[in-house]
């Protein structure tokens, strides 16, 4: 079996446990014939040789900042065929000040609606709601989500701003509640892919904490997304 090279880049806001979260997936990558390199910053993106030799980037960097030369290196690698994937804030809420990064990924975290004010305790659980991940018609046929039925979660429900170049495999709908300022239900992509040059991008929005990442449906989507995003023969 031909071995692939995966680059795991982690850091940013510690609330998403970037080290522990990415460690969950390293055995899967190694078991699927990837040589894995881990980096604790985005400096590696500016290393053209390293990026050209990378078949898959798994990013878990919430918020933070990215330098122009780092973003340029990441974007060039994806355009040339390197896969790019991640979950939750580690990919959908990274580098808020970089419009070019948002253009690459195709969707940006806007908010995670909270409980009714009278039910809030003043901690992160204020934003934990029960909600459904709905697999789309496209998702029912796609290798990443085929065979996965709609499923329930109780965690942060991401509201995502996105463009029309994303292929949505699953959605989630935010209801209009009396204490919220919107007046009708709003559907956001929860899992999507994006073709960028010769590269494939996969974003999975659930994944706030380790227990969510260990949910069998979420974990399956992330792991299949890694395999699907990996550089294809036609991009070599």
């Amino acid at each position: 079996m031909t071995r692939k090279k995966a680059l795991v880049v982690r850091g940013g806001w510690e609330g998403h446990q970037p080290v522990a979260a990415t460690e969950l997936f390293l055995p899967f990558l190694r078991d699927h014939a990837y040589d894995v390199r881990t980096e604790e910053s985005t400096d590696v993106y500016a290393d053209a040789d390293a990026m050209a030799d990378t078949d898959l980037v798994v990013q878990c960097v919430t918020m933070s900042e990215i330098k122009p030369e780092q973003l340029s290196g990441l974007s060039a690698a994806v355009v040339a065929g390197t896969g790019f994937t991640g979950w939750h804030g580690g990919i959908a809420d990274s580098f808020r000040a970089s419009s070019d990064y948002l253009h690459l990924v195709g969707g940006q975290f806007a908010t995670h609606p909270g409980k009714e004010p009278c039910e809030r305790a003043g901690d992160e659980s204020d934003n934990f709601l029960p909600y459904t991940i709905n697999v789309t018609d496209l998702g029912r046929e796609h290798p990443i989500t085929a065979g996965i039925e709609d499923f329930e979660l109780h965690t942060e429900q991401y509201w995502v701003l996105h463009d029309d170049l994303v292929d949505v495999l699953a959605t989630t709908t935010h209801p209009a509640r009396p204490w919220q300022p919107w007046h009708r239900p709003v559907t956001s992509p929860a899992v999507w892919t994006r073709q960028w040059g010769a590269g494939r991008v996969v974003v999975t929005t659930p994944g706030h904490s380790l227990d969510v990442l260990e949910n069998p449906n979420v974990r399956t989507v992330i792991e299949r997304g890694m395999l699907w995003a990996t550089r294809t023969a036609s991009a070599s």
Side-chain angles (χ1 to χ4, degrees):
M1 180 181 295
T2 302
R3 298 193 66 81
K4 296 287 189 176
K5 293 187 178 180
L7 172 64
V8 177
V9 180
R10 57 200 187 186
W13 185 59
E14 286 295 329
H16 284 152
Q17 299 175 264
V19 173
T22 51
E23 290 290 328
L24 286 176
F25 296 96
L26 300 190
F28 173 85
L29 289 168
R30 292 179 177 128
D31 288 348
H32 285 77
Y34 289 79
D35 295 324
V36 181
R37 172 180 176 178
T38 60
E39 291 290 337
E40 312 302 321
S41 81
T42 53
D43 291 345
V44 66
Y45 290 160
D47 184 338
D49 291 337
M51 296 303 291
D53 200 34
T54 297
D55 298 300
L56 174 69
V57 175
V58 179
Q59 180 181 280
C60 186
V61 183
T62 304
M63 294 181 279
S64 194
E65 296 181 356
I66 191 167
K67 297 177 180 177
E69 62 271 21
Q70 296 168 357
L71 179 58
S72 177
L74 172 62
S75 297
V78 174
V79 168
T82 299
F84 185 50
T85 191
W87 54 85
H88 202 61
I91 190 169
D93 190 22
S94 310
F95 323 128
R96 294 177 180 178
S98 174
S99 59
D100 288 338
Y101 175 80
L102 305 183
H103 197 208
L104 167 67
V105 173
Q108 166 64 36
F109 162 79
T111 191
H112 36 57
K115 299 176 180 176
E116 187 171 1
C118 66
E119 297 179 353
R120 298 179 187 180
D123 57 30
E124 67 173 11
S125 69
D126 292 348
N127 298 313
F128 292 175
L129 299 173
Y131 68 93
T132 305
I133 299 292
N134 300 106
V135 180
T136 65
D137 290 343
L138 174 63
R140 297 191 187 284
E141 300 178 356
H142 196 281
I144 294 175
T145 42
I148 294 178
E149 299 298 325
D150 298 350
F151 60 95
E152 306 296 318
L153 292 172
H154 190 278
T155 182
E156 292 180 348
Q157 183 185 20
Y158 265 22
W159 179 317
V160 175
L161 308 180
H162 62 287
D163 66 29
D164 197 38
L165 192 62
V166 296
D167 294 321
V168 180
L169 307 185
T171 64
T172 187
T173 298
H174 305 269
R177 296 185 169 98
W179 64 90
Q180 301 291 10
W182 55 93
H183 303 288
R184 63 174 183 266
V186 177
T187 298
S188 286
V191 180
W192 73 84
T193 68
R194 187 175 184 84
Q195 188 77 36
W196 201 249
R200 292 171 166 181
V201 177
V202 183
V203 178
T204 304
T205 63
H208 172 74
S209 51
L210 301 186
D211 62 304
V212 178
L213 292 171
E214 291 172 332
N215 175 285
N217 291 305
V218 175
R219 186 159 192 158
T220 296
V221 168
I222 291 172
E223 290 176 344
R224 289 182 181 176
M226 291 175 179
L227 301 179
W228 185 85
T230 298
R231 184 191 308 273
T232 62
S234 62
S236 300

